[in-house]
């Protein structure tokens, strides 16, 4: 397991160098997926990390798309935290995934 985590970490570093040429949303998704894979134990962690990373990358964009992503992220965080609280899940995790999803939706609908 230690070898796998080290390999994923090094792969993330190599990918992060090439993400300079990528869009911020795509770069965030790649970095988030790698971090989710290292930190978690299943595919759900990887997908969650990709959503949060892509949303974060979208929020860092400049101009109207970034503004729309930030607004969507704020709404998504509130909805995600509320849904997690109602279902008895982690409110912080719900807010993070909600913010990522909301940011992606905000960027896409702009």
């Amino acid at each position: 397991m230690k070898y796998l985590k080290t390999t994923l970490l090094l792969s993330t570093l190599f990918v992060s160098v090439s993400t300079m040429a990528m869009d911020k949303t795509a770069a965030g998704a790649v970095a988030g997926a790698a971090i989710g894979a290292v930190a978690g134990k299943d595919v759900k962690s990887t997908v969650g990390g990709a959503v949060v990373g892509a949303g974060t990358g979208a929020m860092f964009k400049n101009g109207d798309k970034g503004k729309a992503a930030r607004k969507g992220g704020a709404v998504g965080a509130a909805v995600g935290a509320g849904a997690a609280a109602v279902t008895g899940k982690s409110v912080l995790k719900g807010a993070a995934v909600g913010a990522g999803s909301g940011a992606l939706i905000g960027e896409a609908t702009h």
Side-chain angles (χ1 to χ4, degrees):
M1 189 65 178
K2 213 174 209 184
Y3 177 73
L4 177 66
K5 287 184 179 182
T6 304
T7 303
L8 286 172
L9 182 63
L10 290 175
S11 299
T12 304
L13 292 174
F14 288 130
V15 169
S16 67
V17 171
S18 65
T19 57
M20 292 179 193
M22 278 192 215
D23 179 50
K24 288 183 180 181
T25 304
V30 170
I35 292 168
V38 170
K41 296 179 181 173
D42 55 4
V43 175
K44 186 177 177 184
S45 299
T46 305
V47 172
V51 169
V52 172
T56 303
M59 287 187 233
F60 279 113
K61 286 186 175 181
N62 296 326
D64 291 337
K65 281 195 172 193
K67 186 176 181 180
R70 287 187 290 276
K71 284 183 181 179
V75 172
V79 171
V86 168
T87 59
K89 305 288 182 179
S90 170
V91 176
L92 185 60
K93 191 181 235 182
V97 173
S101 301
L104 291 175
I105 293 170
E107 179 190 23
T109 57
H110 176 65

